[in-house]
Amino acid sequence: MLNLIYRNLYSHFGPQNWWPVTSEKDTKQKLEVCFGAILTQNTNWKNVEKAIAQLNKNNLINTKRIIDISNKKLALIIRSSGYHNQKAKKLKNFCYFLSKTYNGNLNLFFKNNMEKLRTELLSINGIGPETADSIILYAAKKPIFVIDAYTRRIYSRIFNIKPLGYDELQQIFMKKLNNDPKLFNEYHALLVELGKNICKKKPLCNQCPINNMCNYYNKNHKIKNSKNKI
DNA sequence: ACCCAGGTGGCCC
DNA sequence: GGGCCACATGGG
């Protein structure tokens, strides 16, 4: 079923290519992905892009320089991403951690296995499960499945169950799918695309690429609550 | 004038 | 251990 949903989504929306890190050696690019993962918390991606452009412009895709700049200045630079005061601290926390534990060497940090990466990322204030997993998948390119609010809603709706917890749902996806970072990357992005574009107002939508499954859900379980949107 | 966006941490009970 | 709440900007 999960593989079928993926195929439907992929043929409908096409490849999303979120955060394609082209060069394995480009550490700066990976660091930019880490920063993006933090900046996009509860924020529209367009606004994050502007903030990242500002960081680049100010030569701040760099752990040491993030640590050195004042919170105030940093907050101003990333202003467009919203929550700028909080996020300035979060970026710094991440950089402090890298600096203290891995001498600022992101590649060294990424040499750890997934479990250790996740544990250490979660220990940083400002990084929760979704951000940690985004960093592991999109920057470190290790096969972990990122869960978000859309994924929860879509899954609970198709299978007519109450929304599952983060770790629980993640385990389900990871058991049913091939352990392929590229697949996990696209799948998560496609679910977000579905959530953003389709079935926002009505429980049913003819253009929805998982329409049959929605139909199944609605017909058999009589869910009419429009608040339960995908 | 609303409502939402690729969440997280803190506090309350 | 679940349920609120603050956090803040830009786009539709």
Side-chain angles (χ1 to χ4, degrees), chain A residues 16-215:
Chain A
Q16 301 300 303
N17 292 315
W18 272 15
W19 284 328
V21 176
T22 43
S23 165
E24 271 313 303
K25 288 181 182 157
D26 194 343
T27 310
K28 188 176 163 232
Q29 201 175 13
K30 292 184 207 167
L31 187 62
E32 185 180 298
V33 174
C34 296
F35 289 177
I38 292 170
L39 293 177
T40 197
Q41 290 170 4
N42 203 34
T43 300
N44 188 305
W45 179 248
K46 281 272 190 296
N47 294 338
V48 177
E49 282 182 328
K50 292 174 195 167
I52 291 176
Q54 285 305 303
L55 286 173
N56 272 303
K57 204 170 155 189
N58 288 275
N59 215 8
L60 282 170
I61 310 294
N62 175 290
T63 50
K64 191 172 174 339
R65 285 195 286 274
I66 289 285
I67 291 171
D68 288 342
I69 195 173
S70 75
N71 283 32
K72 244 183 198 169
K73 281 185 187 165
L74 182 55
L76 208 57
I77 287 164
I78 61 169
R79 185 174 183 277
S80 71
S81 72
Y83 307 95
H84 51 268
N85 296 316
Q86 289 183 35
K87 284 175 181 174
K89 285 182 201 156
K90 292 180 180 186
L91 289 181
K92 285 189 163 227
N93 286 342
F94 178 71
C95 291
Y96 281 136
F97 164 80
L98 270 186
S99 163
K100 194 176 58 186
T101 318
Y102 294 93
N103 196 25
N105 187 336
L106 188 61
N107 289 320
L108 186 61
F109 176 49
F110 282 168
K111 284 199 173 102
N112 290 307
N113 62 36
M114 279 189 346
E115 289 71 26
K116 185 165 186 199
L117 278 181
R118 196 164 199 270
T119 309
E120 295 199 334
L121 284 167
L122 290 175
S123 76
I124 303 168
N125 189 295
I127 296 187
E130 186 174 343
T131 309
D133 290 339
S134 296
I135 289 172
I136 296 168
L137 178 63
Y138 290 98
K141 298 192 130 183
K142 295 180 195 289
I144 203 158
F145 200 93
V146 181
I147 303 296
D148 69 340
Y150 291 131
T151 309
R152 279 226 190 84
R153 264 184 264 160
I154 292 165
Y155 190 91
S156 78
R157 181 160 160 185
I158 292 172
F159 294 97
N160 188 36
I161 52 174
K162 69 172 195 288
L164 301 176
Y166 190 103
D167 294 342
E168 194 180 356
L169 192 51
Q170 181 177 56
Q171 284 310 306
I172 292 173
F173 273 89
M174 292 180 68
K175 271 183 193 148
K176 305 272 185 191
L177 301 172
N178 290 336
N179 232 333
D180 175 8
K182 182 66 189 156
L183 169 66
F184 289 0
N185 175 331
E186 280 295 337
Y187 205 153
H188 169 59
L190 284 164
L191 285 169
V192 171
E193 198 57 23
L194 173 66
K196 283 201 300 203
N197 291 296
I198 311 287
C199 299
K200 283 219 166 184
K201 301 199 169 108
K202 292 181 282 185
L204 263 181
C205 170
N206 290 331
Q207 306 134 289
C208 179
I210 57 167
N211 191 35
N212 290 337
M213 305 169 215
C214 292
N215 270 322

